[in-house]
């Protein structure tokens, strides 16, 4: 999926706050190996490496476009590699910290993936993950609605990217079954204040909208965009608009 770093980073201030909140859950470690799954450009990974200097960090991302900028952030304890999250999960590498900020929502079958990631932790290793709660966020709901409408349903051949994000109860059970302790599972709202409807469209266009645009022809993309923008405007009639964007946080320590 060809990510556009410029569009994505247009909202980097909004996306940075949950990263900091997730990072604050991590306890200092004397030494060890850490991985940042879905590190993007690496401009957030550098803060992890600076705060936890005792850990050796590997930032991985499947997007070559994002990783092009990561070289500027490499340090003695931070390096980057192109790899898929599934590939990392299926390797025999062990970690003292598995960290992922707003990335695992792009990987399917969490009921299989998450146990593998948790199993990759050494004893005392920390698991820290944050993801958007896509099924509950308004723009995602509107996106699904448009994809289900004609003629877009036919354009997409019935395809729609259903969110793999599970419920809080399901993640709590997976973490407990994975022998994690000090388990924390929580949802937090990060309000986005939009001065106009284009700002709301731009926010989702750099992430969840991408696979739909890839599927459509150019004229279909324009029609889809027009229809989606109209639906966004109808659902946010008052400007400035507040978009209550929900994110789920998961943290635990391997026994």
């Amino acid at each position: 999926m060809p990510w556009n770093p410029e569009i994505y980073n247009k909202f980097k201030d909004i996306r940075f706050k949950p990263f900091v909140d997730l990072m604050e859950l991590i306890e200092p470690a004397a030494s060890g190996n850490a991985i940042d799954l879905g590190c993007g450009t690496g401009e957030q990974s550098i803060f992890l490496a600076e705060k936890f200097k005792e850990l050796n960090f590997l930032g991985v991302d499947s997007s070559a476009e994002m990783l092009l900028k990561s070289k500027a952030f490499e340090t003695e304890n931070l390096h980057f590699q192109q790899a898929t999250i599934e590939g990392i999960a299926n390797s025999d590498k062990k970690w003292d910290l598995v960290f992922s900020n707003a990335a695992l929502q792009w990987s399917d079958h969490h009921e299989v993936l998450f146990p593998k990631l948790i199993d990759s932790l050494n004893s005392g290793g920390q698991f820290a993950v944050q993801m958007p709660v896509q099924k509950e966020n308004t723009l995602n709901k509107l996106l699904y609605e448009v994809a289900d409408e004609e003629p877009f349903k036919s354009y997409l051949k019935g395809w729609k990217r259903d969110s793999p994000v599970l419920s809080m109860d399901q993640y709590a059970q997976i973490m407990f079954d994975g022998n994690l302790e000090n388990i924390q599972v929580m949802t937090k709202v990060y309000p986005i204040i939009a001065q106009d409807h284009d700002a709301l469209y731009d926010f989702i266009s750099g992430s969840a909208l991408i696979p739909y645009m890839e599927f459509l022809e150019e004229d279909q993309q324009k029609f889809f965009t027009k229809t989606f923008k109209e639906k966004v405007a109808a659902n946010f009639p008052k400007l400035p608009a507040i978009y209550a964007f929900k994110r789920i946080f998961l943290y635990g320590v391997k026994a």
Side-chain angles (χ1 to χ4, degrees), residues 17 39 51 76 97 124 147 187 189 199 211 215 222 228 230 238:
K17 183 62 169 66
C39 64
K51 182 173 182 179
E76 185 177 346
L97 169 64
T187 301
V189 171
F215 212 105
K222 292 178 180 178
F228 183 49
E230 289 173 351
K238 182 180 178 181

Side-chain angles (χ1 to χ4, degrees), residues 5-18 43-44 192-194 196-207 247:
E6 276 69 38
I7 293 177
Y8 187 83
N9 285 335
K10 182 178 180 180
F11 295 91
K12 66 181 180 181
D13 290 341
I14 294 172
R15 302 184 197 276
F16 192 71
K17 183 62 169 66
E43 63 181 347
Q44 293 180 340
I192 296 170
I193 309 302
D196 54 43
H197 296 121
D198 280 346
L200 291 170
Y201 171 81
D202 289 346
F203 178 76
I204 197 170
S205 72
S207 54
R247 297 178 181 271

Side-chain angles (χ1 to χ4, degrees), residues 19-240:
F19 167 83
V20 173
D21 290 344
L22 181 64
M23 185 171 64
E24 290 299 317
L25 295 176
I26 301 169
E27 295 293 334
S31 63
N33 295 312
I35 190 163
D36 181 4
L37 297 169
C39 64
T41 62
E43 63 181 347
Q44 293 180 340
S45 308
I46 185 67
F47 290 95
L48 281 169
E50 288 179 350
K51 182 173 182 179
F52 303 102
K53 294 182 183 297
E54 297 79 8
L55 294 175
N56 294 311
F57 280 88
L58 176 65
V60 300
D61 203 281
S62 61
S63 169
E65 293 85 359
M66 284 289 194
L67 287 174
L68 280 175
K69 297 191 174 186
S70 68
K71 294 297 182 184
F73 302 108
E74 285 199 341
T75 65
E76 185 177 346
N77 70 323
L78 173 61
H79 300 280
F80 297 94
Q81 173 185 317
Q82 185 173 2
T84 65
I85 290 170
E86 292 77 10
I88 295 295
N90 288 318
S91 73
D92 57 2
K93 179 71 174 177
K94 291 290 187 178
W95 307 98
D96 299 288
L97 169 64
V98 170
F99 180 95
S100 184
N101 180 65
L104 293 183
Q105 73 274 14
W106 294 110
S107 295
D108 294 326
H109 307 300
H110 284 196
E111 68 282 359
V112 176
L113 176 66
F114 274 59
K116 289 181 178 179
L117 293 175
I118 292 170
D119 189 55
S120 73
L121 288 168
N122 289 318
S123 178
Q126 299 177 78
F127 183 76
V129 170
Q130 178 273 122
M131 301 171 290
V133 187
Q134 293 169 321
K135 294 175 184 176
E136 298 181 21
N137 285 328
T138 301
L139 291 181
N140 291 92
K141 290 180 180 179
L142 297 180
L143 180 57
Y144 298 152
E145 287 180 14
V146 175
D148 263 342
E149 296 174 0
E150 293 293 356
F152 308 112
K153 189 172 184 178
S154 295
Y155 291 164
L156 295 164
K157 298 180 173 60
W159 178 85
K160 179 174 64 172
R161 190 179 191 282
D162 293 323
S163 172
V165 178
L166 305 174
S167 70
M168 295 175 70
D169 288 355
Q170 287 172 300
Y171 286 120
Q173 187 66 54
I174 289 172
M175 295 167 75
F176 179 76
D177 291 343
N179 207 23
L180 293 186
E181 299 178 337
N182 302 329
I183 293 173
Q184 297 183 54
V185 180
M186 66 198 89
T187 301
K188 185 174 180 178
V189 171
Y190 290 85
I192 296 170
I193 309 302
Q195 299 301 319
D196 54 43
H197 296 121
D198 280 346
L200 291 170
Y201 171 81
D202 289 346
F203 178 76
I204 197 170
S205 72
S207 54
L209 190 61
I210 292 175
Y212 292 88
M213 293 294 101
E214 281 190 315
F215 212 105
L216 301 172
E217 302 294 336
E218 185 175 352
D219 59 331
Q220 296 172 347
Q221 291 177 355
K222 292 178 180 178
F223 189 21
F224 191 99
T225 298
K226 179 178 180 292
T227 304
F228 183 49
K229 284 186 173 182
E230 289 173 351
K231 194 174 283 286
V232 170
N235 277 266
F236 293 91
K238 182 180 178 181
L239 293 173

